Amino acid sequence: MPGLHHIEVSPDVLERARNGDSDAQAYLYRTLSRPVYTLIRRFVVRPAIAEELLQDVFVEVLRNLSGYSGAGPFIGWVRSIAVNKALMYLRSPWHRGLSWLGADGVLSVHEEAASATPDPFDPDLERALASLPSISRAVVWLHDVEEMTHAEIAKLFGRTISFSKSQLARAHTELRDRLESPSGGLACMPISRNC
Amino acid sequence: MHADFQELLSLRAGEPLDAEVAQHIANCPRCGLELGRLQRLADDLSQLPQFEPPQHSWARIQEQMAQPLARRSRASWIYASAAAAAVVVVAFGVLWTSTIDRDQAPAGASGSTVAQTASRDQSVGRLVRRSQELEALLNSLPQRPAIEQAGTSATIDEIQSSIQMLDAQLSNGLQIDQTETERMWSTRVQLLNSLVYVRYGEVARYARPINTLDTGAI
Protein backbone atom coordinates (compact mmCIF):
# COMPACT_ATOMS: atom_id res chain seq x y z
CA MET A 1 0.00 0.00 0.00
CA PRO A 2 1.72 3.18 -1.13
CA GLY A 3 -0.61 5.61 0.66
CA LEU A 4 0.38 7.51 3.77
CA HIS A 5 -3.02 7.25 5.33
CA HIS A 6 -2.54 3.64 6.44
CA ILE A 7 0.45 4.50 8.62
CA GLU A 8 0.15 5.07 12.33
CA VAL A 9 2.80 6.56 14.56
CA SER A 10 2.54 6.08 18.32
CA PRO A 11 2.35 9.14 20.58
CA ASP A 12 5.35 7.77 22.48
CA VAL A 13 7.58 7.86 19.38
CA LEU A 14 6.35 11.34 18.55
CA GLU A 15 7.11 12.56 22.05
CA ARG A 16 10.61 11.12 21.97
CA ALA A 17 11.27 12.58 18.51
CA ARG A 18 9.96 15.93 19.71
CA ASN A 19 12.46 15.82 22.58
CA GLY A 20 15.34 15.29 20.18
CA ASP A 21 15.73 11.50 20.49
CA SER A 22 17.71 10.65 17.36
CA ASP A 23 16.54 7.02 17.36
CA ALA A 24 12.91 8.13 17.35
CA GLN A 25 13.60 10.64 14.58
CA ALA A 26 15.34 7.96 12.52
CA TYR A 27 12.37 5.67 13.12
CA LEU A 28 10.02 8.35 11.83
CA TYR A 29 12.16 8.70 8.70
CA ARG A 30 12.28 4.95 8.12
CA THR A 31 8.52 4.66 8.55
CA LEU A 32 7.49 7.65 6.49
CA SER A 33 10.20 8.26 3.90
CA ARG A 34 9.01 5.78 1.27
CA PRO A 35 5.34 6.85 1.19
CA VAL A 36 6.32 10.53 1.43
CA TYR A 37 8.87 10.16 -1.37
CA THR A 38 6.34 8.22 -3.44
CA LEU A 39 3.77 10.97 -2.93
CA ILE A 40 6.27 13.61 -4.00
CA ARG A 41 7.29 11.58 -7.05
CA ARG A 42 3.66 11.53 -8.11
CA PHE A 43 3.78 15.33 -8.21
CA VAL A 44 7.33 15.91 -9.37
CA VAL A 45 8.82 13.82 -12.12
CA ARG A 46 12.48 14.59 -11.69
CA PRO A 47 14.06 12.32 -9.04
CA ALA A 48 16.70 14.89 -8.06
CA ILE A 49 14.07 17.54 -7.31
CA ALA A 50 11.89 15.00 -5.52
CA GLU A 51 14.84 14.07 -3.33
CA GLU A 52 15.44 17.71 -2.44
CA LEU A 53 11.79 18.11 -1.58
CA LEU A 54 11.85 14.95 0.54
CA GLN A 55 14.71 16.40 2.56
CA ASP A 56 12.87 19.71 2.90
CA VAL A 57 9.77 17.92 4.15
CA PHE A 58 11.62 15.97 6.83
CA VAL A 59 13.65 18.93 7.97
CA GLU A 60 10.43 20.92 8.36
CA VAL A 61 8.62 18.06 10.09
CA LEU A 62 11.42 17.37 12.55
CA ARG A 63 12.07 21.03 13.29
CA ASN A 64 8.41 21.73 13.89
CA LEU A 65 7.44 18.66 15.87
CA SER A 66 7.20 20.79 18.97
CA GLY A 67 4.77 23.04 17.15
CA TYR A 68 2.59 20.18 16.01
CA SER A 69 -0.54 20.66 18.04
CA GLY A 70 -1.79 17.11 17.81
CA ALA A 71 -5.19 18.48 16.87
CA GLY A 72 -5.32 16.44 13.67
CA PRO A 73 -3.75 13.16 12.58
CA PHE A 74 0.03 13.37 12.51
CA ILE A 75 0.16 11.65 9.12
CA GLY A 76 -2.25 14.20 7.66
CA TRP A 77 0.02 16.97 8.93
CA VAL A 78 3.08 15.39 7.29
CA ARG A 79 1.15 14.82 4.09
CA SER A 80 0.01 18.43 3.91
CA ILE A 81 3.62 19.60 4.30
CA ALA A 82 4.74 17.26 1.50
CA VAL A 83 1.93 18.35 -0.82
CA ASN A 84 2.56 22.03 -0.15
CA LYS A 85 6.27 21.65 -0.86
CA ALA A 86 5.55 19.84 -4.13
CA LEU A 87 2.93 22.39 -5.18
CA MET A 88 5.27 25.27 -4.42
CA TYR A 89 7.76 23.72 -6.76
CA LEU A 90 5.19 23.08 -9.51
CA ARG A 91 3.90 26.63 -9.26
CA SER A 92 7.32 28.20 -9.39
CA PRO A 93 8.34 30.11 -12.52
CA TRP A 94 11.49 27.99 -12.37
CA HIS A 95 9.52 24.79 -13.00
CA ARG A 96 7.25 26.44 -15.57
CA GLY A 97 10.23 27.89 -17.36
CA LEU A 98 11.86 24.48 -17.54
CA SER A 99 8.65 22.97 -18.88
CA TRP A 100 8.40 25.72 -21.46
CA LEU A 101 11.92 25.13 -22.65
CA GLY A 102 11.49 21.37 -22.57
CA ALA A 103 14.37 20.97 -20.17
CA ASP A 104 12.07 19.42 -17.58
CA GLY A 105 10.80 16.90 -20.07
CA VAL A 106 14.04 15.25 -20.92
CA LEU A 107 13.05 12.06 -19.16
CA SER A 108 10.98 9.78 -21.33
CA VAL A 109 8.00 7.88 -20.03
CA HIS A 110 10.07 4.75 -20.25
CA GLU A 111 12.87 6.20 -18.16
CA GLU A 112 10.33 7.38 -15.62
CA ALA A 113 8.66 4.00 -15.47
CA ALA A 114 12.01 2.29 -15.23
CA SER A 115 12.92 4.35 -12.19
CA ALA A 116 10.02 2.88 -10.23
CA THR A 117 10.53 -0.07 -7.94
CA PRO A 118 10.46 -3.00 -10.34
CA ASP A 119 8.44 -5.61 -8.51
CA PRO A 120 5.43 -5.84 -8.36
CA PHE A 121 5.16 -3.62 -11.38
CA ASP A 122 2.50 -2.60 -13.87
CA PRO A 123 4.47 -0.82 -16.59
CA ASP A 124 1.41 0.18 -18.61
CA LEU A 125 -0.33 1.83 -15.69
CA GLU A 126 2.92 3.38 -14.47
CA ARG A 127 3.57 4.89 -17.90
CA ALA A 128 -0.01 6.07 -18.32
CA LEU A 129 0.12 7.73 -14.90
CA ALA A 130 3.49 9.31 -15.61
CA SER A 131 2.20 10.78 -18.87
CA LEU A 132 -0.57 12.78 -17.16
CA PRO A 133 -0.12 16.50 -16.52
CA SER A 134 1.39 17.07 -13.07
CA ILE A 135 -1.72 18.44 -11.42
CA SER A 136 -4.07 15.80 -12.84
CA ARG A 137 -1.64 13.10 -11.71
CA ALA A 138 -1.46 14.62 -8.26
CA VAL A 139 -5.22 14.88 -7.91
CA VAL A 140 -5.89 11.31 -9.02
CA TRP A 141 -3.21 10.09 -6.62
CA LEU A 142 -4.54 12.05 -3.65
CA HIS A 143 -8.10 10.94 -4.35
CA ASP A 144 -7.69 7.33 -5.40
CA VAL A 145 -4.65 6.28 -3.38
CA GLU A 146 -4.49 8.66 -0.44
CA GLU A 147 -8.31 8.49 -0.24
CA MET A 148 -8.67 12.22 0.25
CA THR A 149 -12.03 13.86 -0.42
CA HIS A 150 -12.55 16.51 -3.07
CA ALA A 151 -13.01 19.07 -0.31
CA GLU A 152 -9.65 18.16 1.23
CA ILE A 153 -7.91 18.25 -2.15
CA ALA A 154 -9.52 21.58 -3.04
CA LYS A 155 -8.29 23.03 0.26
CA LEU A 156 -4.74 21.82 -0.35
CA PHE A 157 -4.70 23.31 -3.85
CA GLY A 158 -6.49 26.49 -2.82
CA ARG A 159 -9.13 25.80 -5.44
CA THR A 160 -12.78 24.78 -5.67
CA ILE A 161 -14.26 21.33 -5.27
CA SER A 162 -15.25 21.55 -8.93
CA PHE A 163 -11.58 21.96 -9.81
CA SER A 164 -10.73 18.75 -7.98
CA LYS A 165 -13.61 16.87 -9.61
CA SER A 166 -12.81 18.08 -13.10
CA GLN A 167 -9.12 17.23 -12.70
CA LEU A 168 -10.02 13.75 -11.47
CA ALA A 169 -12.42 13.17 -14.38
CA ARG A 170 -9.82 14.44 -16.82
CA ALA A 171 -7.16 12.19 -15.34
CA HIS A 172 -9.39 9.12 -15.55
CA THR A 173 -10.38 9.92 -19.13
CA GLU A 174 -6.74 10.18 -20.15
CA LEU A 175 -5.75 7.07 -18.19
CA ARG A 176 -8.51 5.08 -19.88
CA ASP A 177 -7.54 6.34 -23.34
CA ARG A 178 -3.89 5.54 -22.81
CA LEU A 179 -4.45 2.16 -21.23
CA GLU A 180 -6.90 1.08 -23.92
CA SER A 181 -4.95 2.25 -26.96
CA PRO A 182 -3.05 -0.66 -28.56
CA SER A 183 0.42 0.79 -28.00
CA GLY A 184 -0.53 2.67 -24.91
CA GLY A 185 -0.22 5.83 -27.01
CA LEU A 186 2.89 6.70 -25.10
CA ALA A 187 5.78 6.23 -27.43
CA CYS A 188 8.33 8.98 -26.92
CA MET A 189 5.82 11.09 -25.01
CA PRO A 190 7.45 13.54 -22.63
CA ILE A 191 6.26 13.05 -19.10
CA SER A 192 6.61 16.57 -17.88
CA ARG A 193 3.86 18.85 -19.07
CA ASN A 194 2.54 22.20 -18.12
CA CYS A 195 0.20 21.98 -15.18
CA MET B 1 -28.15 8.77 -21.83
CA HIS B 2 -25.21 7.19 -20.10
CA ALA B 3 -23.60 8.57 -16.96
CA ASP B 4 -20.55 10.74 -17.44
CA PHE B 5 -17.21 10.27 -15.71
CA GLN B 6 -17.92 12.73 -12.94
CA GLU B 7 -21.18 10.98 -12.08
CA LEU B 8 -19.50 7.58 -12.06
CA LEU B 9 -16.64 8.91 -9.95
CA SER B 10 -19.13 10.46 -7.52
CA LEU B 11 -20.94 7.16 -7.19
CA ARG B 12 -17.65 5.32 -6.71
CA ALA B 13 -16.71 7.74 -3.93
CA GLY B 14 -20.09 7.30 -2.25
CA GLU B 15 -21.06 10.90 -2.82
CA PRO B 16 -24.67 12.03 -3.24
CA LEU B 17 -25.91 11.54 -6.78
CA ASP B 18 -29.12 12.32 -8.59
CA ALA B 19 -31.49 9.38 -7.97
CA GLU B 20 -32.36 9.09 -11.64
CA VAL B 21 -28.70 8.86 -12.63
CA ALA B 22 -27.97 6.35 -9.87
CA GLN B 23 -30.87 4.20 -11.03
CA HIS B 24 -29.67 4.34 -14.61
CA ILE B 25 -26.19 3.20 -13.59
CA ALA B 26 -27.66 0.36 -11.55
CA ASN B 27 -29.61 -0.90 -14.58
CA CYS B 28 -27.18 -0.11 -17.40
CA PRO B 29 -24.62 -2.81 -18.23
CA ARG B 30 -22.34 -0.32 -19.98
CA CYS B 31 -22.30 2.15 -17.07
CA GLY B 32 -21.92 -0.72 -14.62
CA LEU B 33 -18.93 -1.97 -16.56
CA GLU B 34 -17.38 1.50 -16.58
CA LEU B 35 -17.97 1.86 -12.84
CA GLY B 36 -16.27 -1.47 -12.23
CA ARG B 37 -13.34 -0.40 -14.39
CA LEU B 38 -12.94 2.81 -12.41
CA GLN B 39 -12.93 0.88 -9.16
CA ARG B 40 -10.33 -1.56 -10.47
CA LEU B 41 -8.19 1.33 -11.63
CA ALA B 42 -8.20 2.85 -8.14
CA ASP B 43 -7.26 -0.56 -6.72
CA ASP B 44 -4.46 -0.93 -9.28
CA LEU B 45 -3.11 2.53 -8.48
CA SER B 46 -3.03 1.62 -4.81
CA GLN B 47 -1.03 -1.49 -5.64
CA LEU B 48 1.69 0.35 -7.56
CA PRO B 49 5.06 -0.01 -5.87
CA GLN B 50 6.53 2.72 -3.75
CA PHE B 51 9.54 4.68 -4.88
CA GLU B 52 12.67 4.06 -2.83
CA PRO B 53 14.26 7.25 -1.48
CA PRO B 54 17.98 7.64 -2.16
CA GLN B 55 20.06 6.01 0.56
CA HIS B 56 21.94 9.17 1.45
CA SER B 57 18.78 11.22 2.09
CA TRP B 58 18.66 10.62 5.84
CA ALA B 59 22.31 11.61 6.22
CA ARG B 60 21.65 14.85 4.35
CA ILE B 61 18.60 15.58 6.48
CA GLN B 62 20.72 15.10 9.59
CA GLU B 63 23.32 17.44 8.14
CA GLN B 64 20.69 20.11 7.58
CA MET B 65 19.30 19.57 11.07
CA ALA B 66 22.79 19.98 12.55
CA GLN B 67 23.39 23.21 10.64
CA PRO B 68 20.26 25.26 11.15
CA LEU B 69 19.76 27.86 8.42
CA ALA B 70 23.35 27.43 7.26
CA ARG B 71 22.47 25.57 4.12
CA ARG B 72 19.37 25.76 2.04
CA SER B 73 18.45 23.04 -0.38
CA ARG B 74 18.22 23.67 -4.09
CA ALA B 75 14.44 23.41 -3.87
CA SER B 76 14.41 26.16 -1.26
CA TRP B 77 16.52 28.30 -3.51
CA ILE B 78 14.05 27.66 -6.29
CA TYR B 79 11.20 28.99 -4.13
CA ALA B 80 13.28 32.00 -3.18
CA SER B 81 14.28 32.60 -6.79
CA ALA B 82 10.66 32.32 -7.87
CA ALA B 83 9.57 34.84 -5.27
CA ALA B 84 12.39 37.18 -6.26
CA ALA B 85 11.49 36.79 -9.93
CA ALA B 86 7.88 37.67 -9.17
CA VAL B 87 9.01 40.81 -7.35
CA VAL B 88 11.24 41.72 -10.28
CA VAL B 89 8.35 41.25 -12.73
CA VAL B 90 6.08 43.53 -10.73
CA ALA B 91 8.76 46.15 -10.13
CA PHE B 92 9.90 46.04 -13.73
CA GLY B 93 6.33 46.33 -15.01
CA VAL B 94 5.57 49.30 -12.76
CA LEU B 95 8.83 51.00 -13.62
CA TRP B 96 8.40 50.34 -17.30
CA THR B 97 4.83 51.60 -17.42
CA SER B 98 5.63 54.74 -15.47
CA THR B 99 8.68 55.42 -17.64
CA ILE B 100 6.66 55.04 -20.82
CA ASP B 101 3.91 57.27 -19.44
CA ARG B 102 6.44 59.92 -18.46
CA ASP B 103 8.59 59.81 -21.58
CA GLN B 104 6.14 59.61 -24.44
CA ALA B 105 8.41 61.72 -26.67
CA PRO B 106 12.02 61.91 -25.53
CA ALA B 107 13.48 65.36 -25.98
CA GLY B 108 15.86 65.59 -28.90
CA ALA B 109 15.11 62.11 -30.18
CA SER B 110 15.65 61.72 -33.89
CA GLY B 111 16.31 59.05 -36.51
CA SER B 112 14.33 55.97 -37.52
CA THR B 113 15.88 53.60 -34.92
CA VAL B 114 15.04 55.86 -32.06
CA ALA B 115 11.57 56.41 -33.50
CA GLN B 116 10.98 52.66 -33.88
CA THR B 117 12.17 51.99 -30.35
CA ALA B 118 9.97 54.73 -28.97
CA SER B 119 7.03 53.40 -30.98
CA ARG B 120 7.63 49.89 -29.71
CA ASP B 121 7.93 51.15 -26.15
CA GLN B 122 4.61 52.90 -26.53
CA SER B 123 3.05 49.76 -27.98
CA VAL B 124 4.34 47.64 -25.10
CA GLY B 125 3.19 50.31 -22.68
CA ARG B 126 -0.31 50.15 -24.13
CA LEU B 127 -0.31 46.36 -23.89
CA VAL B 128 0.86 46.47 -20.27
CA ARG B 129 -1.91 48.95 -19.43
CA ARG B 130 -4.45 46.81 -21.30
CA SER B 131 -3.32 43.79 -19.30
CA GLN B 132 -3.83 45.75 -16.10
CA GLU B 133 -7.31 46.85 -17.22
CA LEU B 134 -8.32 43.29 -18.07
CA GLU B 135 -6.97 42.00 -14.77
CA ALA B 136 -8.94 44.67 -12.95
CA LEU B 137 -12.03 43.60 -14.90
CA LEU B 138 -11.43 39.96 -13.96
CA ASN B 139 -10.99 40.92 -10.32
CA SER B 140 -14.29 42.76 -10.41
CA LEU B 141 -16.19 39.64 -11.49
CA PRO B 142 -17.97 37.60 -8.81
CA GLN B 143 -16.07 34.66 -7.37
CA ARG B 144 -16.12 31.44 -9.35
CA PRO B 145 -19.05 29.14 -8.51
CA ALA B 146 -18.49 26.16 -6.23
CA ILE B 147 -19.95 23.88 -8.89
CA GLU B 148 -19.40 24.38 -12.59
CA GLN B 149 -19.05 22.54 -15.86
CA ALA B 150 -15.87 20.50 -16.16
CA GLY B 151 -15.21 21.95 -19.61
CA THR B 152 -15.39 25.52 -18.34
CA SER B 153 -13.16 24.76 -15.40
CA ALA B 154 -10.60 23.04 -17.61
CA THR B 155 -10.61 25.93 -20.10
CA ILE B 156 -10.07 28.49 -17.35
CA ASP B 157 -7.26 26.39 -15.90
CA GLU B 158 -5.59 26.12 -19.30
CA ILE B 159 -5.76 29.86 -19.95
CA GLN B 160 -4.49 30.69 -16.47
CA SER B 161 -1.63 28.24 -16.91
CA SER B 162 -0.70 29.84 -20.23
CA ILE B 163 -0.72 33.30 -18.64
CA GLN B 164 1.46 32.06 -15.80
CA MET B 165 3.82 30.56 -18.34
CA LEU B 166 4.10 33.89 -20.12
CA ASP B 167 4.69 35.65 -16.82
CA ALA B 168 7.53 33.26 -16.15
CA GLN B 169 9.02 34.13 -19.52
CA LEU B 170 8.55 37.82 -18.90
CA SER B 171 10.32 37.48 -15.58
CA ASN B 172 13.45 37.31 -17.74
CA GLY B 173 12.33 40.53 -19.42
CA LEU B 174 15.69 42.22 -19.19
CA GLN B 175 17.16 39.56 -21.50
CA ILE B 176 14.35 39.59 -24.09
CA ASP B 177 14.49 41.97 -27.03
CA GLN B 178 11.75 44.52 -27.57
CA THR B 179 10.10 42.72 -30.49
CA GLU B 180 9.74 39.51 -28.52
CA THR B 181 8.58 41.41 -25.46
CA GLU B 182 5.89 43.12 -27.52
CA ARG B 183 4.75 39.79 -28.93
CA MET B 184 4.55 38.22 -25.47
CA TRP B 185 2.57 41.11 -24.02
CA SER B 186 0.25 40.96 -27.03
CA THR B 187 -0.30 37.24 -26.42
CA ARG B 188 -0.92 37.97 -22.74
CA VAL B 189 -3.62 40.49 -23.64
CA GLN B 190 -5.26 37.99 -26.00
CA LEU B 191 -5.25 35.31 -23.30
CA LEU B 192 -6.71 37.71 -20.76
CA ASN B 193 -9.40 38.65 -23.29
CA SER B 194 -10.26 34.97 -23.71
CA LEU B 195 -10.32 34.52 -19.95
CA VAL B 196 -12.70 37.45 -19.56
CA TYR B 197 -15.06 35.96 -22.14
CA VAL B 198 -15.05 32.54 -20.49
CA ARG B 199 -15.43 33.99 -17.01
CA TYR B 200 -18.20 36.30 -18.17
CA GLY B 201 -20.04 33.33 -19.65
CA GLU B 202 -19.54 31.41 -16.42
CA VAL B 203 -20.87 34.27 -14.34
CA ALA B 204 -23.83 34.70 -16.65
CA ARG B 205 -24.68 31.01 -16.26
CA TYR B 206 -24.21 30.59 -12.53
CA ALA B 207 -24.48 33.93 -10.81
CA ARG B 208 -26.80 36.89 -10.71
CA PRO B 209 -27.15 38.93 -13.91
CA ILE B 210 -24.38 41.45 -14.35
CA ASN B 211 -25.92 43.90 -16.74
CA THR B 212 -23.57 46.63 -15.73
CA LEU B 213 -20.43 44.76 -16.75
CA ASP B 214 -18.58 46.69 -19.43
CA THR B 215 -17.12 44.34 -22.00
CA GLY B 216 -17.44 46.70 -24.92
CA ALA B 217 -13.79 47.60 -24.89
CA ILE B 218 -12.52 44.01 -24.91
Side-chain angles (χ1 to χ4, degrees), chain A residues 1-2 29 34 38 51-53 55-56 63 85 93 96 100 117 120 144 150 159 162-163 170 172-173, chain B residues 5 12 15 41 46 49-52 56-57 64 68 73-74 79 82 146-148 154 157 164-165 169:
Chain A
M1 284 288 183
Y29 177 79
R34 286 185 71 189
T38 300
E51 181 192 345
E52 298 271 2
L53 292 171
Q55 291 169 22
D56 278 2
R63 279 197 177 138
K85 295 273 183 197
R96 292 178 179 279
W100 179 269
T117 308
D144 285 11
H150 286 298
R159 305 294 289 270
S162 294
F163 162 81
R170 180 199 283 191
H172 273 286
T173 304
Chain B
F5 251 19
R12 187 192 67 170
E15 295 165 359
L41 185 54
S46 296
Q50 292 182 327
F51 288 91
E52 193 67 46
H56 54 252
S57 281
Q64 289 188 53
S73 70
R74 185 170 56 176
Y79 309 150
I147 299 172
E148 63 186 339
D157 289 340
Q164 286 169 345
M165 186 80 78
Q169 297 293 298

Side-chain angles (χ1 to χ4, degrees), chain B:
Chain B
M1 183 151 176
H2 295 293
D4 63 28
F5 251 19
Q6 287 213 20
E7 290 166 337
L8 291 168
L9 288 166
S10 293
L11 189 65
R12 187 192 67 170
E15 295 165 359
L17 191 63
D18 183 88
E20 198 175 327
V21 176
Q23 189 175 6
H24 167 83
I25 296 170
N27 297 321
C28 173
R30 179 173 157 182
C31 290
L33 207 62
E34 192 64 21
L35 184 62
R37 195 193 60 76
L38 285 172
Q39 185 55 57
R40 281 194 303 280
L41 185 54
D43 294 342
D44 290 346
L45 286 170
S46 296
Q47 296 303 318
L48 283 175
Q50 292 182 327
F51 288 91
E52 193 67 46
Q55 289 189 341
H56 54 252
S57 281
W58 177 236
R60 291 193 176 171
I61 290 166
Q62 288 177 304
E63 278 175 28
Q64 289 188 53
M65 295 290 291
Q67 298 176 340
L69 304 178
R71 175 185 172 272
R72 298 175 74 177
S73 70
R74 185 170 56 176
S76 298
W77 281 111
I78 288 171
Y79 309 150
S81 302
V87 170
V88 168
V89 171
V90 172
F92 185 65
V94 169
L95 183 64
W96 195 354
T97 308
S98 61
T99 302
I100 290 166
D101 287 344
R102 197 172 54 245
D103 303 330
Q104 289 289 323
S110 63
S112 61
T113 305
V114 175
Q116 281 176 5
T117 303
S119 170
R120 191 149 283 144
D121 281 350
Q122 287 178 14
S123 173
V124 171
R126 279 196 298 274
L127 292 167
V128 171
R129 283 194 294 276
R130 189 71 191 120
S131 276
Q132 292 168 341
E133 289 165 8
L134 289 168
E135 282 174 339
L137 178 58
L138 283 166
N139 288 335
S140 72
L141 291 174
Q143 287 204 336
R144 293 177 65 182
I147 299 172
E148 63 186 339
Q149 292 179 348
T152 304
S153 179
T155 302
I156 290 173
D157 289 340
E158 290 294 335
I159 296 173
Q160 287 178 335
S161 291
S162 300
I163 292 171
Q164 286 169 345
M165 186 80 78
L166 268 177
D167 289 346
Q169 297 293 298
L170 286 165
S171 67
N172 296 320
L174 294 172
Q175 299 166 7
I176 302 172
D177 67 38
Q178 280 290 75
T179 308
E180 180 65 6
T181 302
E182 185 180 16
R183 187 193 65 76
M184 290 169 72
W185 276 107
S186 177
T187 306
R188 193 176 196 278
V189 167
Q190 289 169 16
L191 286 167
L192 282 168
N193 261 328
S194 304
L195 188 56
V196 168
Y197 276 120
V198 177
R199 283 282 289 114
Y200 180 67
E202 180 185 62
V203 169
R205 263 197 311 278
Y206 293 103
R208 61 181 172 76
I210 46 172
N211 298 328
T212 55
L213 185 66
D214 173 23
T215 57
I218 296 170

Side-chain angles (χ1 to χ4, degrees), chain A residues 31-85:
Chain A
T31 306
L32 299 175
S33 59
R34 286 185 71 189
V36 168
Y37 185 62
T38 300
L39 175 64
I40 293 171
R41 286 291 300 270
R42 295 306 177 195
F43 281 68
V44 178
V45 166
R46 295 169 71 86
I49 297 292
E51 181 192 345
E52 298 271 2
L53 292 171
L54 174 74
Q55 291 169 22
D56 278 2
V57 169
F58 273 94
V59 168
E60 183 161 334
V61 166
L62 294 176
R63 279 197 177 138
N64 292 288
L65 271 177
S66 58
Y68 167 62
S69 64
F74 172 69
I75 295 302
W77 180 65
V78 173
R79 183 170 61 189
S80 68
I81 291 173
V83 170
N84 281 327
K85 295 273 183 197

Side-chain angles (χ1 to χ4, degrees), chain A residues 42-43 45 90 128-140 167 170-171 174 178 191-195, chain B residues 158:
Chain A
R42 295 306 177 195
F43 281 68
V45 166
L90 290 178
L129 185 64
S131 69
L132 293 178
S134 321
I135 296 300
S136 297
R137 186 171 61 243
V139 169
V140 77
Q167 288 290 335
R170 180 199 283 191
E174 294 193 24
R178 286 163 192 179
I191 51 176
S192 178
R193 294 170 43 175
N194 173 35
C195 57
Chain B
E158 290 294 335

